[in-house]
Amino acid sequence: MALFAARDRSVHSRRRRDWQPAFSPQAIRHYEEKVLLHIEELDQQLELKAKSGAVDWYESVDWCQEQIQARLAKGPAPELRDLTYYIMEKEKENNVDAGPWLRGIVCSPSWREALAAVLHELVLHPEHIDKLHAELGDTCLTDTNALAELPHLNAVIQEAMRLHPFLPTGGIRKTTDTGVTIRDVHIPPHTTVLTPLYTISLREDCFEQGSSFIPDRWTTRPEMVRNAAAHAPFSLGKYNCIGQHLAMRMMRAVHACAGHQKVQVLPSSRGGRERDGGGEGGSVYVFCWAGAACF
């Protein structure tokens, strides 16, 4: 069961405590040292791929899954103090099998979908790739503090997560024996209540032109955000995403590579769906990266 889905508060609190050491500031700094080395390699590989052809998204996802399987096989090695290490330590302490849990978390759709959502919108709106490229300038792609200060990069990520929440419908709960009253509206007992995040994200009373990709709403056009509370990609309160700070740091670094190298899109032979009008058999995107030196 995913952490956010644990209904029992004591179970949720205990499992969240197990995760907390893995997302402490010290742990995140250690992850960054490791991951940013791979970000530099990613930037180099994308430039090389630009000369040899396109990068198939499916092949990239398969590669990521192979890497986590290989990491699990190494066990809780102290010299590899990554996220996997902390969970495997809890495995030994609590005498439980953390393998399925890690495969479900690290290979879960949320990470892939958040990254894919940004790339999807960038290739549909290439003008924002140009803006990212200009904004990045000489910024070091591995300086996460500097990337956090880039307004358009962060706006692109927020806007993509708004249009493509990786939990389109979440927060399912059931009212108690007495029901509940919210803003003078009484909801009867034993009624299932949910939060349709995708629907809320597109509502015009929350976001002007809610179905359109307009990153400027988070920077220079704040009037286009009519209800900021409608955007909570990592949830709120005690049930919020414990890894959100790490996720944002890594997404900034990866998408800074996209802006630096300039990403284009080519049609794929694989079937699939597109958000804007495509049905079965629509294009699935294959990302083609062109190094900055090529433009």
Side-chain angles (χ1 to χ4, degrees):
M1 178 189 295
L3 180 59
F4 71 87
R7 295 291 303 278
D8 188 309
R9 291 190 177 184
S10 62
V11 171
H12 177 270
S13 297
R14 174 174 55 79
R15 290 184 59 187
R16 192 174 177 99
R17 283 196 301 271
D18 289 344
W19 276 102
Q20 281 177 340
F23 292 101
S24 67
Q26 180 180 3
I28 290 177
R29 284 195 297 270
H30 186 76
Y31 301 154
E32 285 185 343
E33 293 175 3
K34 294 169 61 65
V35 173
L36 292 178
L37 292 175
H38 295 291
I39 294 294
E40 290 181 334
E41 182 179 357
L42 172 65
D43 192 49
Q44 296 167 5
Q45 288 297 322
L46 292 178
E47 189 162 2
L48 289 174
K49 286 289 186 179
K51 300 175 182 178
S52 61
V55 181
D56 192 319
W57 173 252
Y58 291 97
E59 292 178 1
S60 300
V61 171
D62 291 342
W63 180 84
C64 291
Q65 292 178 331
E66 290 171 2
Q67 296 306 303
I68 188 60
Q69 293 291 349
R71 174 62 186 90
L72 287 171
K74 294 180 181 178
E79 69 275 11
L80 298 173
R81 284 184 176 267
D82 50 16
L83 179 60
T84 310
Y85 166 80
Y86 287 97
I87 302 305
M88 284 188 167
E89 282 295 294
K90 286 296 178 181
E91 174 187 35
K92 293 193 302 182
E93 182 181 313
N94 300 328
N95 195 28
V96 297
D97 181 11
W101 189 13
L102 280 166
R103 293 185 187 95
I105 295 297
V106 181
C107 294
S108 68
S110 59
W111 290 79
R112 298 199 301 262
E113 289 177 4
L115 291 171
V118 179
L119 290 172
H120 171 80
E121 294 297 342
L122 284 177
V123 296
L124 289 178
H125 305 89
E127 68 275 14
H128 291 288
I129 299 175
D130 294 333
K131 289 186 70 172
L132 281 178
H133 186 70
E135 182 179 64
L136 282 163
D138 296 328
T139 303
C140 177
L141 299 182
T142 58
D143 187 341
T144 56
N145 292 326
L147 295 179
E149 299 298 322
L150 299 180
H152 196 66
L153 172 63
N154 288 279
V156 164
I157 294 173
Q158 291 296 333
E159 184 70 347
M161 290 195 296
R162 181 186 70 82
L163 286 172
H164 306 275
F166 45 79
L167 290 176
T169 297
I172 299 176
R173 295 292 185 266
K174 181 176 286 188
T175 58
T176 62
D177 293 338
T178 58
V180 63
T181 299
I182 301 175
R183 291 192 176 183
D184 300 326
V185 176
H186 181 71
I187 301 175
H190 309 296
T191 300
T192 298
V193 181
L194 56 84
T195 306
L197 301 178
Y198 179 74
T199 303
I200 292 173
S201 295
L202 302 183
R203 287 176 61 106
E204 284 294 318
D205 58 347
C206 295
F207 301 99
E208 182 181 345
Q209 300 181 48
S211 61
S212 299
F213 180 73
I214 308 176
D216 291 347
R217 73 174 79 244
W218 303 107
T219 53
T220 59
R221 302 178 67 183
E223 71 280 359
M224 297 190 72
V225 179
R226 292 168 171 165
N227 186 349
H231 181 62
F234 296 105
S235 192
L236 301 167
K238 294 182 179 180
Y239 277 72
N240 68 357
C241 176
I242 194 172
Q244 59 184 291
H245 300 296
L246 176 62
M248 284 299 299
R249 285 171 180 250
M250 296 304 100
M251 280 196 288
R252 291 186 192 110
V254 171
H255 295 305
C257 285
H260 178 243
Q261 295 293 350
K262 289 194 173 181
V263 62
Q264 295 174 300
V265 63
L266 298 174
S268 170
S269 59
R270 304 193 186 194
R273 290 182 179 271
E274 293 180 6
R275 180 170 66 92
D276 297 322
E280 289 294 343
S283 298
V284 172
Y285 298 127
V286 178
F287 300 110
C288 178
W289 306 79
C294 299
F295 285 80

